[in-house]
Amino acid sequence: MSKANKDNRPSKFRLALIDDKTHEHLLNIHFTKTNFFVAIVSIIVVLTAIIYSVIAFTPVRTFIPGYPDAHSKRAAIQNAIRIDSLENVIYRWELYSENLRRVVEGEEPLKIDSLINASRSKTENTSDASELALKDSLLRQQVKEEEQFDISGRDKRNLPIEGLHFFTPLKGVVSQGFDPAIHPYIDITAPEGSVVKATLDGTVINDGWSEEDGYTIQIQHDGDIISIYKHNEKLLKKTGDKVTAGSPIALIGNTGSLSTGDHLHFELWYKGEAIDPSRYISF
């Protein structure tokens, strides 16, 4: 009986690390088959979680073939804008060719105003007061439900920073690049008198002078983005002014004790963290 119980006991194994010269046991690990299997599964799960976290939450994912980076997203948005513009151009050419045909055949050419009025009158004729009232009530109910449960998506209309189109603040040469530790911004050199422009739509939140940075201007943009422009010769905007992307805000200069020549000190901040502007802007 005791022999049978002894045979049913789980097999135990030992992994030993022994010094080859002194035969001293440096490490002894006792385990069973079950413990070994559990350890292997745990290691696989932990490694999978670490790899997933690195790929999902770090810029490493941009190295995956087929994953859209900031440049491809920006190109997709620009292509969508171009397609929309091309559709308008095609429509105008179709209208032009139709009018040309009518003129050649002696018919009255089409007019855009008449087309708009005809479409408007057609809508007015086909919709009576009761139908319009019903549509209006349905629309009001839909808006009310969207506001109640917040399903309209208004809070999700802001594009991520990878999808934004940044305007180049200054065309020139990057004399010193971005370094997150010692140089969390870039320096751009350009000829004297060059115009510095806003990189995005926004509001000027600070303009002024400091001994080290000279004339400085800061702009708050949508999406928790702030751009900073230092060492300017002259500021063209003041605090509270609304600016659009590409609008002049300053003239390049050499003001401030930290400046050694005409250049633009440009900073880009996203959600309280300094980011490399050259990743999103072509200088």
Side-chain angles (χ1 to χ4, degrees):
M1 187 60 130
S2 60
K3 183 177 181 180
N5 293 334
K6 183 177 181 181
D7 294 337
N8 291 332
R9 293 176 184 176
S11 301
K12 293 184 178 181
F13 302 91
R14 182 176 64 176
L15 179 65
L17 184 63
I18 303 175
D19 191 324
D20 188 49
K21 294 182 178 180
T22 62
H23 299 285
E24 179 183 359
H25 286 258
L26 302 177
L27 178 65
N28 284 306
I29 300 177
H30 298 271
F31 59 90
T32 63
K33 291 182 179 181
T34 303
N35 293 339
F36 180 76
F37 178 75
V38 171
I40 293 297
V41 172
S42 300
I43 293 173
I44 293 175
V45 171
V46 171
L47 289 178
T48 303
I50 293 174
I51 294 174
Y52 174 80
S53 300
V54 170
I55 294 176
F57 304 107
T58 65
V60 174
R61 61 181 181 272
T62 58
F63 295 98
I64 300 177
Y67 186 88
D69 57 5
H71 297 288
S72 60
K73 291 180 180 178
R74 189 182 302 113
I77 295 174
Q78 292 175 351
N79 290 335
I81 295 174
R82 293 192 185 101
I83 290 173
D84 183 68
S85 301
L86 289 175
E87 288 178 350
N88 294 331
V89 172
I90 292 173
Y91 176 76
R92 289 197 299 268
W93 273 103
E94 288 178 348
L95 181 61
Y96 173 78
S97 61
E98 177 63 19
N99 282 340
L100 183 61
R101 184 190 64 80
R102 286 173 173 264
V103 170
V104 171
E105 295 179 357
E107 300 179 5
E108 185 70 18
L110 296 174
K111 295 182 179 179
I112 297 179
D113 294 338
S114 63
L115 293 175
I116 295 175
N117 293 331
S119 176
R120 184 179 302 168
S121 61
K122 181 179 179 181
T123 303
E124 293 175 352
N125 293 333
T126 55
S127 301
D128 54 11
S130 60
E131 185 179 356
L132 291 176
L134 177 60
K135 291 182 178 179
D136 180 71
S137 62
L138 292 176
L139 178 61
R140 290 176 182 272
Q141 181 65 23
Q142 180 182 358
V143 172
K144 183 178 179 180
E145 292 177 356
E146 289 179 352
E147 291 179 348
Q148 179 180 0
F149 298 102
D150 193 26
I151 62 175
S152 61
R154 285 191 297 269
D155 295 335
K156 300 179 182 179
R157 289 177 183 173
N158 289 333
L159 291 173
I161 190 170
E162 291 83 4
L164 295 176
H165 176 67
F166 290 85
F167 195 92
T168 304
L170 180 67
K171 277 295 184 181
V173 177
V174 177
S175 58
Q176 188 169 0
F178 180 89
D179 186 284
I182 60 175
H183 198 262
Y185 42 83
I186 64 173
D187 294 331
I188 311 164
T189 59
E192 181 181 358
S194 298
V195 178
V196 179
K197 302 175 182 178
T199 188
L200 289 171
D201 297 345
T203 303
V204 178
I205 58 175
N206 183 39
D207 74 291
W209 161 273
S210 69
E211 181 65 27
E212 294 182 348
D213 301 326
Y215 287 107
T216 302
I217 186 169
Q218 300 181 16
I219 303 177
Q220 175 72 62
H221 311 285
D222 292 337
D224 292 334
I225 300 175
I226 296 178
S227 58
I228 303 176
Y229 315 76
K230 296 182 179 180
H231 303 307
N232 301 286
E233 181 65 29
K234 182 179 180 181
L235 302 181
L236 305 179
K237 299 292 182 180
K238 59 182 182 297
T239 302
D241 287 348
K242 300 287 186 180
V243 297
T244 58
S247 60
I249 58 173
L251 298 179
I252 191 174
N254 184 27
T255 59
S257 60
L258 297 180
S259 178
T260 58
D262 288 322
H263 77 286
L264 172 65
H265 169 114
F266 180 63
E267 300 180 20
L268 196 61
W269 293 77
Y270 178 56
K271 294 184 177 181
E273 181 180 355
I275 59 176
D276 185 0
S278 60
R279 293 180 55 188
Y280 311 100
I281 306 174
S282 176
F283 295 96

